[in-house]
Amino acid sequence: MTIRDAIPIILFLCVLTLAAVLLGGFMTMVFTGKRTFLTRIAGPTEKFLYRLFGVDKEDEMSWKTYTLSLVIFNAMGIVVLFVLQLTQGVLPFNPQRFGAVRWDTALNTAISFVTNTNWQAYGGEQTMSYFTQMVGITVQNFLSAAVGLAAVVALIRGFIRKSVKTIGNFWVDLTRAVLYVLLPLAIIWALVLASQGVVQTLSPATHVQTLEGREQIIAVGPVASQVAIKQLGTNGGGFFNANSAHPFESPTPLTDFMEVFALLLIPAALPFMLGGMLKKRRQGWAFFAAMMVLFLLGLTVTLWAEAQGSPILEKMGILHGANMEGKEARFGVVHSILFAQSTTATACGAVNSMHDSLMPLSGLVLLFNMAIGEVIFGGVGVGLVGMIIYAILTMFLAGLMIGRTPEFIGKKLEPYEMIMSVIAILSSAIVMLVLASLAIATRAGLAGLNNAGPHGLSEILYAYASTANNNGSAFAGLNANTPFYNLTTACAMLVGRFTTIIPALAIAGSLAKKKVVPISAGIFPTTNMLFVVMLVSVVIIVGALTFFPALTLGPLLEHLFVQVGKTF
Amino acid sequence: MKEKKLGLWQSKLIIQALQDSVRKLDPRIMIKNPVMFVVEIVSAITLGIAIDDLFTGGAFGFNAQISIWLWFTILFANFAEALAEGQGRAQAESLKKTRSEAVGKRLRADGGIETVSALVLRKGNVVVVEDGEPIPGDGEVIEGVALVDESAITGESAPVIREAGGDRSGVTGGTRVLSGKIKIRITANPGETFFDQMIDMVESAKRQKTPNEKALDILLIGLTATFLTVVVTLKFFAGYMMVSVSIPILVALLVCLMPTTIGGLLPAIGIAGMDRLLQHNFIAMSGRAVEAAGDVDVVLMDKTGTITLGNRMATEFLPADEVREKDFINAALLASLADETPEGRSIVVLAKEGLGVRGRDIRAPEGASFSPFSAETRMSGIDWDSRHIRKGAADAIKNFVMDQGGTMPEKVQQIVAAVSKEGSTPLVVAEDSTVLGVIRLKDVLKEGINERLAQIRRMGIKSVMITGDNPLTAATIAAEAGVGDFVAEAKPSVKLELIRKYQTDGHLVAMIGDGTNDAPALAQADVAVAMNAGTQAAREAANIVDLDSNPSKLLDIVEIGKQILITRGALTTFSVANDVAKYFAILPAIFATQYPLLRVLDIMHLASPQTAVLSAVIFNAIIIPLLIPLALRGVRYRPTTVSALLRRNLLIYGLGGLLVPFIGIKTLDLVIAALNLV
């Protein structure tokens, strides 16, 4: 790691921040119903959709109606995607003639894509027809991201409104998220990616004769359109099993850059949308700063760990310097790590290197990024939701320590908000630990392991951290396409997603009903450095206290073993 | 204000608290405190294992010691709660003691009088109390006037006047009439008086948790559930890694991680807050009101009695042209001799000073007759022989001298205008047709009010002064005292409107009142403090009663409210920060035998796995009694900027909470190893 390596990262982050500020401003206009330059194009479609589904856009919903609409919408999504996979054999656009997907895999996949996790127990190019990929998976890539946006917009409204019962209209928020934000960005990205050589075709896989005279099957398909939204919507479910490490998903350094940029873009823009909607720009910057600090901390550790390289390989005289195992030579260490850090910090889960082959300490950071609940930028919408809930916890303690009954952005934090915040923050951690311990203690769970000792533990922890926090990336090394893993990870994904969104909407409903506490000298300003430091500390401390024992036995112990030359 | 503070460590209280802490082990009582209830369950499990070890030859010595310290953890927490309760109870009892044996003379329907025990007096009964008799219950004077000794409740030895009709009609049971005869309508049934309510608030069994306590409880239960999961799943992770962990060690880890410090002290903090209120001679109707006091950001205060001494005082004599100053002062003195109003007395004092005379050698001339102040003439004065001296408002005196054929000199009118403009009140003195001069009457600020108002400002609270004065006078006083805002020429209804307006904007408003016409505003205010001497209506509308009837004490309530919250926040932070060191003590103890590489975590270099676990458990237990004084006294609150306050508390309780257990556990480990306990 040299200064030369740091420059592109710094440049990247500066460009990202600039784009995030602009997109945040744009999304503020979209979700406050203002006219934008896209209104002329998307407006008629929007109106048509409302008429088609009988949505009255002025019809505001209570949090319960909002939640019910969201849950029913997602339940329908799961059913449709599940049925689609079971019947793909008789449906069109199936040049490879794939049969029905096994029921447990199909159920897992349906839940996975609807919850914006995109955990893939299957290999895309060997399992899913083009029809399933396009109509099922890509559609859910859009919709699950839009649901996340709707959730955060509703939560922010809870802070803005006073003494009312409603938090917006779910169908309107969903429609606007797709038409004004996700679709336009996805179109731009798909075109640029396709121009760089990402495949976009409906023809079947190509069979070619290799130089050795053997036949090779080269899988293709409507890739660019799916990859664009998989990154932008922090979905992460690749068209190919190898995900963004596959040359047809990311052929060039530019596409690699575009893809990392895309997966961070919306999550990073959301704090600025919050600032815009609240008309408190500094509050947006404070959230962004907290996320950025956590991001850079993780990035520093992983870059350092990889740059150290493996003492084992070094001793064997095979390799000096940075750890290249499991990385695409096209991208190198810095790009691979930037991607890995970004994909776990956001709930994306796309990969361009094999996380299983990272140094144990890097694996620890990636695990930690996910286990704290995907709040370092996080998933589209839900990342900021998680961070806001951490901020509620932070301000509960901070409020007490300045001698006031706690409040945040002008709203009093009372028992109801605390119940919901505690559920939102702790349930995914609890479900992750419980399911991981179930896997590690049962024959069915251990059957999936390819590695023993601490590395095996890390693989299982990673699987449940990834699913319970709706990331979806895999550590590899774990064969997860078994009924046991399909069902337990599906359970983790459902809990992870809905114990964040539903409590958040409940908080929104409760906050909207409250009066606004006016700003006075007696109130702690939640826009200064001290707030950022406290928020970052609370996130780290909650995570560290919850996962210290498990991480000690997994990646930390493995790290110590590697230092003395032992692997698993 | 006098504090009747009872010593924290009085032996009687301690013994009672020790007994109570064992009694509180009853699971039916423990379940009110979920965190400590979980500790009790796991302690019972450990005890069972230790007993089993005794017969099966397991690690009895070690497990028994763990178990013992876990039980001590609970006992210490119970002790803190019991001690706070005992303190409050003693405080309330000492206030209440005087009244139980009292008897009252109850007025029968036929007009006769019967003597009954105070305990049978009901609401609505009327009693007669005469010289030297105790007042049998809380009530309102409906007839007569009396000098009442309230030292039993306020500690103030000077007797006070209580009379029917005015804003000083409230009397409290247990006080004593020194002279006079009053009829009192009893306003509270036995067992429902202020004191009884207060005693309920310091008994944890009857006490309602405040919303803030509930919210904190939820957080603590959430943390407990998480750590329970962490510890149970650790058993499986460790099993996979070929490490076997005994149940007592897992329990030890669980209890160390759980927020037992704050969980154990939480009830005590709330009760102790009520105790402190009592020490300051406040009676709160709900814990919620006290915590709300910490949030107050607007305070309404009457000018008179709160910011200024009750009345205006003469500060200067300004003679008219061609009038000798001495003559003017003399006339002013004579005109005020019989004037018993505070203004009148202040004129006499200033005049004596001006004339250089002292004592009682000034007497009214023989045969003089006084003309008292009346609403029609708006003057008072003295007549003898053929001389008539009058003092009064400028226009009244002008009419007086013009009736006698005199005129108001230009110069005097200028003085009057100037004095008014400076915010003082001019009082003109005339003898027959001659105007002698102007007396300047000025509001005098209460001692220390500037400083208190500055403190209020530093707390981020806006003070609003309410006065019937004209805007000019009001502005002068406001500037002098340093209040944030004022409302002049206020009618009684203005307070209610003002409170509503502030509340609509989201502010939390506190006010102090005593009169019946304050009652609606008191009922509307978020924190409403009634003077104990105030009317029954005011006391019923309020949520806090000040036994001292001292309006400037509002700040004390705000401070106590803030202290309760700060103490909770500080100890929660401390409790959670402690966990880091405990992990570093216990995790290597569990794993390092199987995986010596993990000794890197043993940064404290503890003697052995057993001593490490035991010292963590002991530290976790004894930190509770060590923090009892802090929990009962409360973390000190100093008015400063919120960021500075937060930074300070984070440093002390966050960073301190991180570091202290490292030192504590290491020390305990040295001791345990030296004593060879395990």
Side-chain angles (χ1 to χ4, degrees), chain B residues 454-613:
Chain B
Q455 259 181 346
I456 289 188
R457 205 167 40 243
R458 276 202 298 280
M459 286 178 178
I461 300 172
K462 178 178 176 182
S463 50
V464 181
M465 179 181 88
I466 300 192
T467 170
D469 292 343
N470 64 56
L472 209 62
T473 315
T476 313
I477 301 291
E480 234 174 283
V483 291
D485 202 353
F486 66 89
V487 179
E489 290 171 347
K491 290 193 263 317
S493 64
V494 84
K495 286 184 194 167
L496 182 61
E497 287 159 25
L498 206 58
I499 292 175
R500 287 219 175 110
K501 188 181 113 314
Y502 278 118
Q503 284 174 337
T504 316
D505 296 341
H507 294 279
L508 243 77
V509 186
M511 83 160 266
I512 302 181
D514 50 8
T516 300
N517 58 25
D518 284 336
L522 281 171
Q524 181 73 30
D526 300 286
V527 176
V529 185
M531 303 292 102
N532 191 42
T535 62
Q536 184 60 25
R539 289 196 290 181
E540 268 171 16
N543 45 28
I544 295 174
V545 173
D546 176 15
L547 295 176
D548 293 339
S549 304
N550 174 2
S552 62
K553 272 173 56 191
L554 185 66
L555 262 182
D556 296 330
I557 303 178
V558 173
E559 241 166 65
I560 291 169
K562 283 191 184 290
Q563 268 190 327
I564 295 175
L565 297 173
I566 293 177
T567 311
R568 273 187 207 137
L571 290 183
T572 307
T573 310
F574 185 82
S575 197
V576 174
N578 273 201
D579 284 359
V580 176
K582 292 168 187 165
Y583 264 137
F584 278 100
I586 297 181
L587 284 191
I590 296 177
F591 299 133
T593 318
Q594 178 79 6
Y595 299 106
L597 284 173
L598 284 174
R599 279 205 194 110
V600 293
L601 291 180
D602 182 19
I603 51 180
M604 285 176 274
H605 301 289
L606 304 179
S608 76
Q610 284 79 17
T611 61
V613 175

Side-chain angles (χ1 to χ4, degrees), chain A residues 63-106:
Chain A
W63 82 265
K64 284 183 184 152
T65 319
Y66 200 101
T67 308
L68 194 66
S69 312
L70 187 150
V71 170
I72 290 174
F73 180 72
N74 276 341
M76 278 167 33
I78 291 172
V79 171
V80 167
L81 192 48
F82 181 62
V83 172
L84 212 55
Q85 293 174 77
L86 293 186
T87 57
Q88 67 175 5
V90 296
L91 292 171
F93 298 108
N94 188 3
Q96 304 296 123
R97 309 198 175 283
F98 291 129
V101 180
R102 209 173 69 211
W103 75 271
D104 55 308
T105 313

Side-chain angles (χ1 to χ4, degrees), chain B residues 143-334:
Chain B
E143 202 182 301
V145 50
L147 204 56
V148 179
D149 170 16
E150 293 193 340
S151 59
I153 53 167
T154 63
E156 189 65 55
S157 57
V160 290
I161 299 233
R162 295 286 173 257
E163 59 189 326
D167 286 345
R168 294 274 175 274
S169 62
V171 290
T172 313
T175 57
R176 186 172 290 272
V177 170
L178 292 179
S179 73
K181 175 177 176 179
I182 44 177
K183 275 188 190 164
I184 299 167
R185 183 187 295 117
I186 299 294
T187 51
N189 291 329
E192 294 169 13
T193 60
F194 292 146
F195 292 116
D196 297 305
Q197 285 190 22
M198 195 70 200
I199 289 171
D200 279 359
M201 299 212 18
V202 295
E203 298 271 1
S204 73
K206 293 182 188 159
R207 201 170 146 261
Q208 291 274 322
K209 282 183 186 167
T210 64
N212 180 260
E213 269 177 301
K214 282 186 200 149
L216 185 51
D217 249 349
I218 290 161
L219 179 64
L220 299 183
I221 291 169
L223 286 173
T224 304
T226 308
F227 289 129
L228 201 58
T229 315
V230 168
V231 169
V232 171
T233 57
L234 177 63
K235 173 97 180 145
F236 296 103
F237 296 142
Y240 162 81
M241 294 295 292
M242 321 288 176
V243 179
S244 77
V245 199
S246 75
I247 303 268
I249 288 185
L250 283 178
V251 166
L253 178 61
L254 172 66
V255 174
C256 284
L257 293 178
M258 278 169 54
T260 48
T261 311
I262 177 65
L265 292 172
L266 185 56
I269 295 170
I271 298 169
M274 296 298 142
D275 295 352
R276 281 202 297 283
L277 269 188
L278 266 177
Q279 281 162 16
H280 283 79
N281 274 328
F282 289 112
I283 294 180
M285 303 296 146
S286 76
R288 195 180 187 148
V290 183
E291 284 170 17
D295 288 356
V296 160
D297 53 2
V298 175
V299 176
L300 298 194
M301 21 179 77
D302 279 325
K303 184 200 78 178
T304 310
T306 312
I307 293 168
T308 62
L309 289 170
N311 306 285
R312 284 178 270 253
M313 309 245 285
T315 56
E316 202 179 352
F317 291 111
L318 303 160
D321 283 343
E322 291 158 26
V323 175
R324 283 200 308 157
E325 187 174 15
K326 205 166 172 189
D327 292 343
F328 167 47
I329 296 177
N330 215 1
L333 176 62
L334 288 171

